[in-house]
Amino acid sequence: MHFYESVRVAMLALAANKLRSGLTMLGIIIGVGAVIALLSIGRGVERFFVEQFTSLGTNLLYIFPGQLSGGPPQERGRDVGVLTLNDSYAIANPLRVPDVIAVSPEVTGRVVVARGSSDLEVSVSGVTATYQDALLGEAAIGSFVGETDVQERGRVVVLGSDVFGSLFDPNEDPLEQTIRVNNILFRVIGVMEERGAGIGGANLDETIFVPLTTASDRLFRRRTVSGDYIVNVIYATVSSEERMEAAQEQIAELLRERHNIDFQGEDDFSIINQSDLLSIFGDILGLFTLFLSAIAFISLLVGGIGIMNIMLVSVTERTREIGLRKAVGAKRRNVLGQFLIEAVTLALIGGILGIILGGGGALAATSFINNFSAVVGIDAIVIALLFSTAVGLFFGIYPAYRASRLNPIDALRYE
Amino acid sequence: MFKPSPGGTGANGSEPQVDKYPVIETIGLTKTYTMGDVEVHALQGVDMTVHVGEMLAIMGPSGSGKSTLMNIIGCLDVPSSGLYRLDGIDVAMLDDNALADIRSLKVGYVFQNFNLLPRTTAQANVELPLLYAGIGGRERRQRAEEVLKTVRLDHRGGHKPNELSGGQQQRVAIARALINRPQLILADEPTGNLDTRNSVGIMELFQQLNEEQGITIIFVTHNPEVADYCDRVVRVRDGLIESDERNSPVGGEAPPFQAMPSVATGQ
């Protein structure tokens, strides 16, 4: 019997029991749909992060306090395990760290901003003038935090575009207006361009920028005992990609000296570059993928058992049909093929519907998020189809084998 | 190897058809089933020869072994011992696939309950054996139309079984049996589910196929009226052939050796 005929017969048999076929497919549809949806979103997230990181330049170093990959930093003294504004200035000294061309410290937190009757909670970044060069685009309106603002601990604020949108009418001129940040009056000096999500997923549009010194003194009251300003992270721009390692060493040497770490002591800071970050992210994504594979495996297993179950029922129900087919000349392999194709068709249609459902769902869900969309990869689709087929084959083979072994006389007599 | 050539050397009607090629030849055929611990001897040594062009009824009470005999003749089952030659081929030598080929090409089956595929048109039902004979779509359609014409259902090809009367369904089944141009048609109580009028129509159709196309037809039946249409009646009891008599064909002369009409002894 020709393959095409077998497929046609299988489709007819499935169409004869639409509800049952549909319910049987549901397991595969949900399994494949969930995997495709999560995979597409995962891909979207991955692409988004890679784009974000690389848009910041591949020659950027991130310096964090403490050991990222270890436990908490060892207690060595009062100021150990923190980075300060003076650390940042020291790194910026071209005599000590010749390969770094720009340094930008940042302190972050959450604050409540209010103007008139509207208020909202946003992220705040305490930054210096160099922050703009290292990480951000130009201010759309007004100017960014300047060097004098930092020195004078000025109560000035630059708004992210969403914050602006929440506090002001679109046509209003925000410059020189005052808003309250944690009930302290600040003067608006600029509004940033729309940026979308930023490093580590923080949305820069929902962030306000104030001078680092202002943030430490007036918003967080965070200083070291010696009066130095504590920062969360220091961004260091290296002169070229080739000098990354050299710069990393220079910074590490400088910070160890400044933090009085002895020869055998461990760093109380971490210097991370783009590729480190991407690989950390890759590890997380790998875990995510593993998790997904487990879900996929379980749901396909469940779906496959459903298919096997329904195929066994179908073989029993159609015993007479099988007997008749054998009586008019069907060979074992014809019967085997017919039921196998039926099982595979069931699984494959389920897979295709799952792909449509999952892919469409992922795209629809992410269309609400700015600058981010799910990526439905061809490879994911192909893998989903292959897996559906494999499930159909694997779980269809036993019922089909049973059908092919039926004795035609017994089958014809079956009531 | 074998072509249906009714005639051979014999003249028409006046002599028994002994000079024709035997299409079926069984010697000492036995069949034993094991049902649980009990052995059932369905056939206990059947010797039977059927020649080409014969129309014959196998009769017998329930459990006599007539159905088993028919299944073996139709290559749906294999004997436990003994020889069975179908069209000169020793069936015992054949494997599963070869048996399927024989079923496909040499034998056509007609069942009491028609056994048509539901939700499938008459045309597609008739084409079914050709599907397994590996014949392409266009020829399938053409041949199906031909045999549907033979059974006088050429206008019903697009109907599904549930849209046809019992008699029409059985005609579709006969068309299906005919489509591979078999030498032998096996009909198991073909009129069992039909009323008298339809039964007559079906039997006349069988008779016509037998006379015009020279197809050997074997009925398994309880019904003496079916046997009346046949030129030979084989009675089976307890797995053995009880009697084997020539019948007077309807409208023809009774063969000389037949003492009494077999109808009288019908059960």
PDB file of all heavy atoms in Angstrom, chain A residues 1 5 16 320-321 324-327 329-332 334 409 412-413, chain B residues 71 77 96 100-101 103 109 113 115 117 119 128 131-132 140 176:
ATOM      1  N   MET A   1       0.847  -1.194   0.000  1.00  0.00           N
ATOM      2  CA  MET A   1       0.000   0.000   0.000  1.00  0.00           C
ATOM      3  C   MET A   1       0.886   1.249   0.000  1.00  0.00           C
ATOM      4  O   MET A   1       1.911   1.294   0.655  1.00  0.00           O
ATOM      5  CB  MET A   1      -0.899   0.001   1.231  1.00  0.00           C
ATOM      6  CG  MET A   1      -1.928   1.063   1.165  1.00  0.00           C
ATOM      7  SD  MET A   1      -3.425   0.653   2.043  1.00  0.00           S
ATOM      8  CE  MET A   1      -3.019   1.064   3.708  1.00  0.00           C
ATOM      9  N   GLU A   5      -1.653   6.630   0.652  1.00  0.00           N
ATOM     10  CA  GLU A   5      -2.919   5.990   0.991  1.00  0.00           C
ATOM     11  C   GLU A   5      -3.009   5.750   2.491  1.00  0.00           C
ATOM     12  O   GLU A   5      -4.052   5.954   3.115  1.00  0.00           O
ATOM     13  CB  GLU A   5      -3.055   4.652   0.248  1.00  0.00           C
ATOM     14  CG  GLU A   5      -3.162   4.796  -1.253  1.00  0.00           C
ATOM     15  CD  GLU A   5      -4.478   5.439  -1.681  1.00  0.00           C
ATOM     16  OE1 GLU A   5      -5.403   5.481  -0.862  1.00  0.00           O
ATOM     17  OE2 GLU A   5      -4.550   5.910  -2.826  1.00  0.00           O
ATOM     18  N   ALA A  16     -12.795  10.389  12.115  1.00  0.00           N
ATOM     19  CA  ALA A  16     -14.021   9.714  12.525  1.00  0.00           C
ATOM     20  C   ALA A  16     -14.272   9.889  14.019  1.00  0.00           C
ATOM     21  O   ALA A  16     -15.396   9.825  14.471  1.00  0.00           O
ATOM     22  CB  ALA A  16     -13.936   8.232  12.180  1.00  0.00           C
ATOM     23  N   ARG A 320     -12.515  -5.910  13.764  1.00  0.00           N
ATOM     24  CA  ARG A 320     -13.175  -6.448  12.564  1.00  0.00           C
ATOM     25  C   ARG A 320     -12.610  -5.822  11.304  1.00  0.00           C
ATOM     26  O   ARG A 320     -12.413  -6.511  10.299  1.00  0.00           O
ATOM     27  CB  ARG A 320     -14.672  -6.196  12.646  1.00  0.00           C
ATOM     28  CG  ARG A 320     -15.391  -7.145  13.566  1.00  0.00           C
ATOM     29  CD  ARG A 320     -16.806  -6.694  13.750  1.00  0.00           C
ATOM     30  NE  ARG A 320     -17.551  -6.825  12.506  1.00  0.00           N
ATOM     31  CZ  ARG A 320     -18.324  -7.872  12.256  1.00  0.00           C
ATOM     32  NH1 ARG A 320     -18.438  -8.830  13.137  1.00  0.00           N
ATOM     33  NH2 ARG A 320     -18.976  -7.955  11.126  1.00  0.00           N
ATOM     34  N   GLU A 321     -12.374  -4.505  11.382  1.00  0.00           N
ATOM     35  CA  GLU A 321     -11.808  -3.832  10.215  1.00  0.00           C
ATOM     36  C   GLU A 321     -10.441  -4.429   9.873  1.00  0.00           C
ATOM     37  O   GLU A 321     -10.127  -4.675   8.705  1.00  0.00           O
ATOM     38  CB  GLU A 321     -11.662  -2.327  10.507  1.00  0.00           C
ATOM     39  CG  GLU A 321     -11.010  -1.570   9.368  1.00  0.00           C
ATOM     40  CD  GLU A 321     -10.538  -0.183   9.767  1.00  0.00           C
ATOM     41  OE1 GLU A 321     -11.207   0.452  10.600  1.00  0.00           O
ATOM     42  OE2 GLU A 321      -9.483   0.234   9.252  1.00  0.00           O
ATOM     43  N   LEU A 324     -10.924  -7.747   8.268  1.00  0.00           N
ATOM     44  CA  LEU A 324     -11.355  -7.608   6.882  1.00  0.00           C
ATOM     45  C   LEU A 324     -10.181  -7.226   5.989  1.00  0.00           C
ATOM     46  O   LEU A 324      -9.973  -7.804   4.927  1.00  0.00           O
ATOM     47  CB  LEU A 324     -12.437  -6.537   6.782  1.00  0.00           C
ATOM     48  CG  LEU A 324     -12.784  -6.264   5.315  1.00  0.00           C
ATOM     49  CD1 LEU A 324     -13.649  -7.380   4.776  1.00  0.00           C
ATOM     50  CD2 LEU A 324     -13.430  -4.923   5.135  1.00  0.00           C
ATOM     51  N   ARG A 325      -9.406  -6.261   6.455  1.00  0.00           N
ATOM     52  CA  ARG A 325      -8.262  -5.828   5.650  1.00  0.00           C
ATOM     53  C   ARG A 325      -7.320  -6.990   5.399  1.00  0.00           C
ATOM     54  O   ARG A 325      -6.789  -7.159   4.307  1.00  0.00           O
ATOM     55  CB  ARG A 325      -7.528  -4.675   6.336  1.00  0.00           C
ATOM     56  CG  ARG A 325      -8.296  -3.357   6.278  1.00  0.00           C
ATOM     57  CD  ARG A 325      -7.555  -2.236   6.983  1.00  0.00           C
ATOM     58  NE  ARG A 325      -8.354  -1.023   7.045  1.00  0.00           N
ATOM     59  CZ  ARG A 325      -8.415  -0.116   6.063  1.00  0.00           C
ATOM     60  NH1 ARG A 325      -7.700  -0.302   4.972  1.00  0.00           N
ATOM     61  NH2 ARG A 325      -9.167   0.957   6.183  1.00  0.00           N
ATOM     62  N   LYS A 326      -7.125  -7.790   6.443  1.00  0.00           N
ATOM     63  CA  LYS A 326      -6.242  -8.949   6.260  1.00  0.00           C
ATOM     64  C   LYS A 326      -6.865  -9.948   5.294  1.00  0.00           C
ATOM     65  O   LYS A 326      -6.179 -10.551   4.477  1.00  0.00           O
ATOM     66  CB  LYS A 326      -5.959  -9.613   7.607  1.00  0.00           C
ATOM     67  CG  LYS A 326      -5.004  -8.791   8.461  1.00  0.00           C
ATOM     68  CD  LYS A 326      -4.409  -9.617   9.564  1.00  0.00           C
ATOM     69  CE  LYS A 326      -2.950  -9.288   9.724  1.00  0.00           C
ATOM     70  NZ  LYS A 326      -2.304 -10.186  10.675  1.00  0.00           N
ATOM     71  N   ALA A 327      -8.191 -10.111   5.394  1.00  0.00           N
ATOM     72  CA  ALA A 327      -8.858 -11.063   4.513  1.00  0.00           C
ATOM     73  C   ALA A 327      -8.745 -10.651   3.052  1.00  0.00           C
ATOM     74  O   ALA A 327      -8.649 -11.496   2.176  1.00  0.00           O
ATOM     75  CB  ALA A 327     -10.323 -11.200   4.916  1.00  0.00           C
ATOM     76  N   GLY A 329      -6.275  -9.139   1.751  1.00  0.00           N
ATOM     77  CA  GLY A 329      -4.903  -9.134   1.249  1.00  0.00           C
ATOM     78  C   GLY A 329      -3.917  -8.245   1.977  1.00  0.00           C
ATOM     79  O   GLY A 329      -2.763  -8.161   1.560  1.00  0.00           O
ATOM     80  N   ALA A 330      -4.326  -7.576   3.055  1.00  0.00           N
ATOM     81  CA  ALA A 330      -3.366  -6.743   3.773  1.00  0.00           C
ATOM     82  C   ALA A 330      -2.328  -7.633   4.458  1.00  0.00           C
ATOM     83  O   ALA A 330      -2.674  -8.632   5.074  1.00  0.00           O
ATOM     84  CB  ALA A 330      -4.079  -5.893   4.808  1.00  0.00           C
ATOM     85  N   LYS A 331      -1.075  -7.272   4.297  1.00  0.00           N
ATOM     86  CA  LYS A 331      -0.010  -7.997   4.973  1.00  0.00           C
ATOM     87  C   LYS A 331       0.196  -7.387   6.356  1.00  0.00           C
ATOM     88  O   LYS A 331      -0.287  -6.306   6.648  1.00  0.00           O
ATOM     89  CB  LYS A 331       1.284  -7.900   4.162  1.00  0.00           C
ATOM     90  CG  LYS A 331       1.162  -8.531   2.791  1.00  0.00           C
ATOM     91  CD  LYS A 331       2.506  -8.498   2.084  1.00  0.00           C
ATOM     92  CE  LYS A 331       2.499  -9.333   0.817  1.00  0.00           C
ATOM     93  NZ  LYS A 331       1.700  -8.734  -0.255  1.00  0.00           N
ATOM     94  N   ARG A 332       0.944  -8.116   7.178  1.00  0.00           N
ATOM     95  CA  ARG A 332       1.217  -7.601   8.518  1.00  0.00           C
ATOM     96  C   ARG A 332       1.793  -6.196   8.476  1.00  0.00           C
ATOM     97  O   ARG A 332       1.421  -5.327   9.226  1.00  0.00           O
ATOM     98  CB  ARG A 332       2.216  -8.511   9.233  1.00  0.00           C
ATOM     99  CG  ARG A 332       1.522  -9.616   9.969  1.00  0.00           C
ATOM    100  CD  ARG A 332       2.514 -10.434  10.726  1.00  0.00           C
ATOM    101  NE  ARG A 332       1.869 -11.669  11.156  1.00  0.00           N
ATOM    102  CZ  ARG A 332       2.519 -12.714  11.623  1.00  0.00           C
ATOM    103  NH1 ARG A 332       3.838 -12.683  11.697  1.00  0.00           N
ATOM    104  NH2 ARG A 332       1.865 -13.776  12.002  1.00  0.00           N
ATOM    105  N   ASN A 334       1.398  -3.950   6.279  1.00  0.00           N
ATOM    106  CA  ASN A 334       0.405  -2.941   5.914  1.00  0.00           C
ATOM    107  C   ASN A 334      -0.363  -2.486   7.137  1.00  0.00           C
ATOM    108  O   ASN A 334      -0.597  -1.293   7.336  1.00  0.00           O
ATOM    109  CB  ASN A 334      -0.592  -3.507   4.897  1.00  0.00           C
ATOM    110  CG  ASN A 334       0.079  -3.896   3.589  1.00  0.00           C
ATOM    111  OD1 ASN A 334      -0.151  -4.976   3.078  1.00  0.00           O
ATOM    112  ND2 ASN A 334       0.921  -3.034   3.069  1.00  0.00           N
ATOM    113  N   ILE A 409      -9.206 -14.587  11.152  1.00  0.00           N
ATOM    114  CA  ILE A 409     -10.494 -15.236  11.466  1.00  0.00           C
ATOM    115  C   ILE A 409     -11.036 -14.698  12.774  1.00  0.00           C
ATOM    116  O   ILE A 409     -12.194 -14.306  12.872  1.00  0.00           O
ATOM    117  CB  ILE A 409     -10.339 -16.760  11.639  1.00  0.00           C
ATOM    118  CG1 ILE A 409      -9.512 -17.318  10.507  1.00  0.00           C
ATOM    119  CG2 ILE A 409     -11.672 -17.434  11.733  1.00  0.00           C
ATOM    120  CD1 ILE A 409      -8.956 -18.663  10.845  1.00  0.00           C
ATOM    121  N   LEU A 412     -12.272 -11.225  12.347  1.00  0.00           N
ATOM    122  CA  LEU A 412     -13.544 -11.088  11.640  1.00  0.00           C
ATOM    123  C   LEU A 412     -14.718 -11.491  12.519  1.00  0.00           C
ATOM    124  O   LEU A 412     -15.819 -10.979  12.379  1.00  0.00           O
ATOM    125  CB  LEU A 412     -13.534 -11.973  10.390  1.00  0.00           C
ATOM    126  CG  LEU A 412     -12.863 -11.366   9.172  1.00  0.00           C
ATOM    127  CD1 LEU A 412     -12.712 -12.405   8.087  1.00  0.00           C
ATOM    128  CD2 LEU A 412     -13.668 -10.188   8.657  1.00  0.00           C
ATOM    129  N   ARG A 413     -14.471 -12.430  13.410  1.00  0.00           N
ATOM    130  CA  ARG A 413     -15.543 -12.915  14.277  1.00  0.00           C
ATOM    131  C   ARG A 413     -15.814 -11.963  15.429  1.00  0.00           C
ATOM    132  O   ARG A 413     -16.821 -12.073  16.098  1.00  0.00           O
ATOM    133  CB  ARG A 413     -15.133 -14.263  14.888  1.00  0.00           C
ATOM    134  CG  ARG A 413     -15.051 -15.351  13.895  1.00  0.00           C
ATOM    135  CD  ARG A 413     -16.212 -16.330  14.068  1.00  0.00           C
ATOM    136  NE  ARG A 413     -16.205 -17.284  12.993  1.00  0.00           N
ATOM    137  CZ  ARG A 413     -15.363 -18.305  12.950  1.00  0.00           C
ATOM    138  NH1 ARG A 413     -14.510 -18.500  13.923  1.00  0.00           N
ATOM    139  NH2 ARG A 413     -15.388 -19.129  11.936  1.00  0.00           N
TER     140      ARG A 413
ATOM    141  N   ASN B  71     -12.425 -21.490   6.177  1.00  0.00           N
ATOM    142  CA  ASN B  71     -11.300 -20.613   6.507  1.00  0.00           C
ATOM    143  C   ASN B  71      -9.994 -21.150   5.946  1.00  0.00           C
ATOM    144  O   ASN B  71      -9.137 -20.393   5.476  1.00  0.00           O
ATOM    145  CB  ASN B  71     -11.175 -20.455   8.024  1.00  0.00           C
ATOM    146  CG  ASN B  71     -12.280 -19.586   8.584  1.00  0.00           C
ATOM    147  OD1 ASN B  71     -12.832 -18.760   7.867  1.00  0.00           O
ATOM    148  ND2 ASN B  71     -12.617 -19.788   9.855  1.00  0.00           N
ATOM    149  N   ASP B  77      -6.753 -19.467   7.435  1.00  0.00           N
ATOM    150  CA  ASP B  77      -6.260 -20.332   8.498  1.00  0.00           C
ATOM    151  C   ASP B  77      -5.424 -21.421   7.831  1.00  0.00           C
ATOM    152  O   ASP B  77      -5.541 -21.647   6.632  1.00  0.00           O
ATOM    153  CB  ASP B  77      -7.464 -20.943   9.237  1.00  0.00           C
ATOM    154  CG  ASP B  77      -7.100 -21.328  10.661  1.00  0.00           C
ATOM    155  OD1 ASP B  77      -5.898 -21.303  10.992  1.00  0.00           O
ATOM    156  OD2 ASP B  77      -8.029 -21.639  11.441  1.00  0.00           O
ATOM    157  N   ASP B  96       3.352 -16.031   5.899  1.00  0.00           N
ATOM    158  CA  ASP B  96       2.277 -15.074   6.119  1.00  0.00           C
ATOM    159  C   ASP B  96       2.035 -14.135   4.942  1.00  0.00           C
ATOM    160  O   ASP B  96       0.894 -13.902   4.550  1.00  0.00           O
ATOM    161  CB  ASP B  96       2.644 -14.242   7.350  1.00  0.00           C
ATOM    162  CG  ASP B  96       1.569 -14.328   8.387  1.00  0.00           C
ATOM    163  OD1 ASP B  96       1.195 -15.462   8.733  1.00  0.00           O
ATOM    164  OD2 ASP B  96       1.117 -13.265   8.827  1.00  0.00           O
ATOM    165  N   ALA B 100      -1.144 -13.798   2.410  1.00  0.00           N
ATOM    166  CA  ALA B 100      -1.846 -12.529   2.189  1.00  0.00           C
ATOM    167  C   ALA B 100      -1.989 -12.267   0.694  1.00  0.00           C
ATOM    168  O   ALA B 100      -3.027 -11.790   0.235  1.00  0.00           O
ATOM    169  CB  ALA B 100      -1.097 -11.383   2.871  1.00  0.00           C
ATOM    170  N   ASP B 101      -0.945 -12.603  -0.062  1.00  0.00           N
ATOM    171  CA  ASP B 101      -1.015 -12.412  -1.516  1.00  0.00           C
ATOM    172  C   ASP B 101      -2.082 -13.298  -2.136  1.00  0.00           C
ATOM    173  O   ASP B 101      -2.819 -12.883  -3.037  1.00  0.00           O
ATOM    174  CB  ASP B 101       0.348 -12.728  -2.147  1.00  0.00           C
ATOM    175  CG  ASP B 101       1.299 -11.542  -1.993  1.00  0.00           C
ATOM    176  OD1 ASP B 101       0.793 -10.402  -1.890  1.00  0.00           O
ATOM    177  OD2 ASP B 101       2.522 -11.750  -1.972  1.00  0.00           O
ATOM    178  N   ARG B 103      -4.742 -14.473  -0.635  1.00  0.00           N
ATOM    179  CA  ARG B 103      -6.042 -13.907  -0.260  1.00  0.00           C
ATOM    180  C   ARG B 103      -6.380 -12.726  -1.148  1.00  0.00           C
ATOM    181  O   ARG B 103      -7.518 -12.503  -1.522  1.00  0.00           O
ATOM    182  CB  ARG B 103      -6.028 -13.461   1.210  1.00  0.00           C
ATOM    183  CG  ARG B 103      -5.947 -14.591   2.202  1.00  0.00           C
ATOM    184  CD  ARG B 103      -6.373 -14.125   3.583  1.00  0.00           C
ATOM    185  NE  ARG B 103      -5.427 -13.210   4.192  1.00  0.00           N
ATOM    186  CZ  ARG B 103      -4.463 -13.590   5.032  1.00  0.00           C
ATOM    187  NH1 ARG B 103      -4.315 -14.867   5.339  1.00  0.00           N
ATOM    188  NH2 ARG B 103      -3.641 -12.703   5.549  1.00  0.00           N
ATOM    189  N   TYR B 109     -13.883 -12.834  -0.829  1.00  0.00           N
ATOM    190  CA  TYR B 109     -14.743 -13.262   0.281  1.00  0.00           C
ATOM    191  C   TYR B 109     -16.028 -12.461   0.304  1.00  0.00           C
ATOM    192  O   TYR B 109     -16.015 -11.255   0.076  1.00  0.00           O
ATOM    193  CB  TYR B 109     -14.051 -13.032   1.632  1.00  0.00           C
ATOM    194  CG  TYR B 109     -12.756 -13.744   1.757  1.00  0.00           C
ATOM    195  CD1 TYR B 109     -11.592 -13.162   1.293  1.00  0.00           C
ATOM    196  CD2 TYR B 109     -12.687 -14.999   2.347  1.00  0.00           C
ATOM    197  CE1 TYR B 109     -10.392 -13.817   1.390  1.00  0.00           C
ATOM    198  CE2 TYR B 109     -11.484 -15.660   2.445  1.00  0.00           C
ATOM    199  CZ  TYR B 109     -10.332 -15.064   1.970  1.00  0.00           C
ATOM    200  OH  TYR B 109      -9.166 -15.715   2.066  1.00  0.00           O
ATOM    201  N   ASN B 113     -22.380 -10.676   7.244  1.00  0.00           N
ATOM    202  CA  ASN B 113     -22.678  -9.299   7.672  1.00  0.00           C
ATOM    203  C   ASN B 113     -21.936  -8.266   6.832  1.00  0.00           C
ATOM    204  O   ASN B 113     -21.612  -7.189   7.301  1.00  0.00           O
ATOM    205  CB  ASN B 113     -22.369  -9.135   9.151  1.00  0.00           C
ATOM    206  CG  ASN B 113     -21.013  -9.702   9.493  1.00  0.00           C
ATOM    207  OD1 ASN B 113     -20.197  -9.914   8.588  1.00  0.00           O
ATOM    208  ND2 ASN B 113     -20.754  -9.957  10.752  1.00  0.00           N
ATOM    209  N   ASN B 115     -19.419  -6.879   6.155  1.00  0.00           N
ATOM    210  CA  ASN B 115     -18.094  -6.393   6.528  1.00  0.00           C
ATOM    211  C   ASN B 115     -17.572  -5.287   5.620  1.00  0.00           C
ATOM    212  O   ASN B 115     -16.448  -5.324   5.153  1.00  0.00           O
ATOM    213  CB  ASN B 115     -17.085  -7.546   6.541  1.00  0.00           C
ATOM    214  CG  ASN B 115     -17.061  -8.233   7.894  1.00  0.00           C
ATOM    215  OD1 ASN B 115     -17.263  -7.593   8.919  1.00  0.00           O
ATOM    216  ND2 ASN B 115     -16.827  -9.526   7.888  1.00  0.00           N
ATOM    217  N   LEU B 117     -16.407  -1.348   5.259  1.00  0.00           N
ATOM    218  CA  LEU B 117     -15.880  -0.319   6.160  1.00  0.00           C
ATOM    219  C   LEU B 117     -16.926   0.783   6.291  1.00  0.00           C
ATOM    220  O   LEU B 117     -17.397   1.311   5.287  1.00  0.00           O
ATOM    221  CB  LEU B 117     -14.589   0.277   5.605  1.00  0.00           C
ATOM    222  CG  LEU B 117     -13.403  -0.673   5.481  1.00  0.00           C
ATOM    223  CD1 LEU B 117     -12.178   0.086   4.981  1.00  0.00           C
ATOM    224  CD2 LEU B 117     -13.090  -1.323   6.816  1.00  0.00           C
ATOM    225  N   ARG B 119     -18.477   4.517   7.091  1.00  0.00           N
ATOM    226  CA  ARG B 119     -18.006   5.874   6.779  1.00  0.00           C
ATOM    227  C   ARG B 119     -17.097   5.908   5.556  1.00  0.00           C
ATOM    228  O   ARG B 119     -16.302   6.813   5.383  1.00  0.00           O
ATOM    229  CB  ARG B 119     -17.247   6.486   7.966  1.00  0.00           C
ATOM    230  CG  ARG B 119     -18.103   6.673   9.209  1.00  0.00           C
ATOM    231  CD  ARG B 119     -17.305   7.300  10.310  1.00  0.00           C
ATOM    232  NE  ARG B 119     -16.226   6.448  10.746  1.00  0.00           N
ATOM    233  CZ  ARG B 119     -16.348   5.542  11.709  1.00  0.00           C
ATOM    234  NH1 ARG B 119     -17.492   5.385  12.333  1.00  0.00           N
ATOM    235  NH2 ARG B 119     -15.322   4.799  12.047  1.00  0.00           N
ATOM    236  N   LEU B 128     -10.692  -1.418  -1.947  1.00  0.00           N
ATOM    237  CA  LEU B 128      -9.799  -1.794  -0.853  1.00  0.00           C
ATOM    238  C   LEU B 128      -8.794  -2.910  -1.194  1.00  0.00           C
ATOM    239  O   LEU B 128      -7.597  -2.753  -0.951  1.00  0.00           O
ATOM    240  CB  LEU B 128     -10.641  -2.178   0.373  1.00  0.00           C
ATOM    241  CG  LEU B 128      -9.867  -2.385   1.673  1.00  0.00           C
ATOM    242  CD1 LEU B 128      -9.227  -1.087   2.131  1.00  0.00           C
ATOM    243  CD2 LEU B 128     -10.803  -2.901   2.763  1.00  0.00           C
ATOM    244  N   LEU B 131      -5.823  -1.780  -3.122  1.00  0.00           N
ATOM    245  CA  LEU B 131      -4.871  -0.995  -2.337  1.00  0.00           C
ATOM    246  C   LEU B 131      -3.722  -1.886  -1.890  1.00  0.00           C
ATOM    247  O   LEU B 131      -2.557  -1.514  -1.962  1.00  0.00           O
ATOM    248  CB  LEU B 131      -5.613  -0.462  -1.109  1.00  0.00           C
ATOM    249  CG  LEU B 131      -5.343   0.942  -0.642  1.00  0.00           C
ATOM    250  CD1 LEU B 131      -5.594   1.918  -1.759  1.00  0.00           C
ATOM    251  CD2 LEU B 131      -6.266   1.266   0.522  1.00  0.00           C
ATOM    252  N   TYR B 132      -4.092  -3.097  -1.419  1.00  0.00           N
ATOM    253  CA  TYR B 132      -3.064  -4.001  -0.910  1.00  0.00           C
ATOM    254  C   TYR B 132      -2.401  -4.780  -2.029  1.00  0.00           C
ATOM    255  O   TYR B 132      -1.375  -5.410  -1.827  1.00  0.00           O
ATOM    256  CB  TYR B 132      -3.679  -4.946   0.133  1.00  0.00           C
ATOM    257  CG  TYR B 132      -4.181  -4.196   1.333  1.00  0.00           C
ATOM    258  CD1 TYR B 132      -5.523  -4.067   1.605  1.00  0.00           C
ATOM    259  CD2 TYR B 132      -3.266  -3.560   2.174  1.00  0.00           C
ATOM    260  CE1 TYR B 132      -5.970  -3.341   2.688  1.00  0.00           C
ATOM    261  CE2 TYR B 132      -3.700  -2.836   3.272  1.00  0.00           C
ATOM    262  CZ  TYR B 132      -5.055  -2.728   3.521  1.00  0.00           C
ATOM    263  OH  TYR B 132      -5.481  -2.009   4.606  1.00  0.00           O
ATOM    264  N   ARG B 140      -7.471   1.672 -10.076  1.00  0.00           N
ATOM    265  CA  ARG B 140      -8.380   1.267  -9.011  1.00  0.00           C
ATOM    266  C   ARG B 140      -9.778   1.784  -9.277  1.00  0.00           C
ATOM    267  O   ARG B 140     -10.762   1.056  -9.204  1.00  0.00           O
ATOM    268  CB  ARG B 140      -7.898   1.833  -7.667  1.00  0.00           C
ATOM    269  CG  ARG B 140      -6.762   1.082  -7.029  1.00  0.00           C
ATOM    270  CD  ARG B 140      -6.809   1.236  -5.527  1.00  0.00           C
ATOM    271  NE  ARG B 140      -6.820   2.612  -5.080  1.00  0.00           N
ATOM    272  CZ  ARG B 140      -5.735   3.322  -4.807  1.00  0.00           C
ATOM    273  NH1 ARG B 140      -4.551   2.770  -4.932  1.00  0.00           N
ATOM    274  NH2 ARG B 140      -5.825   4.560  -4.409  1.00  0.00           N
ATOM    275  N   ARG B 176     -16.472  -6.069  -4.253  1.00  0.00           N
ATOM    276  CA  ARG B 176     -15.151  -6.065  -3.620  1.00  0.00           C
ATOM    277  C   ARG B 176     -14.464  -7.422  -3.801  1.00  0.00           C
ATOM    278  O   ARG B 176     -13.268  -7.504  -4.056  1.00  0.00           O
ATOM    279  CB  ARG B 176     -15.290  -5.739  -2.130  1.00  0.00           C
ATOM    280  CG  ARG B 176     -13.971  -5.674  -1.405  1.00  0.00           C
ATOM    281  CD  ARG B 176     -14.166  -5.353   0.060  1.00  0.00           C
ATOM    282  NE  ARG B 176     -14.930  -6.400   0.726  1.00  0.00           N
ATOM    283  CZ  ARG B 176     -15.529  -6.252   1.917  1.00  0.00           C
ATOM    284  NH1 ARG B 176     -15.458  -5.103   2.556  1.00  0.00           N
ATOM    285  NH2 ARG B 176     -16.193  -7.245   2.449  1.00  0.00           N
TER     286      ARG B 176
END
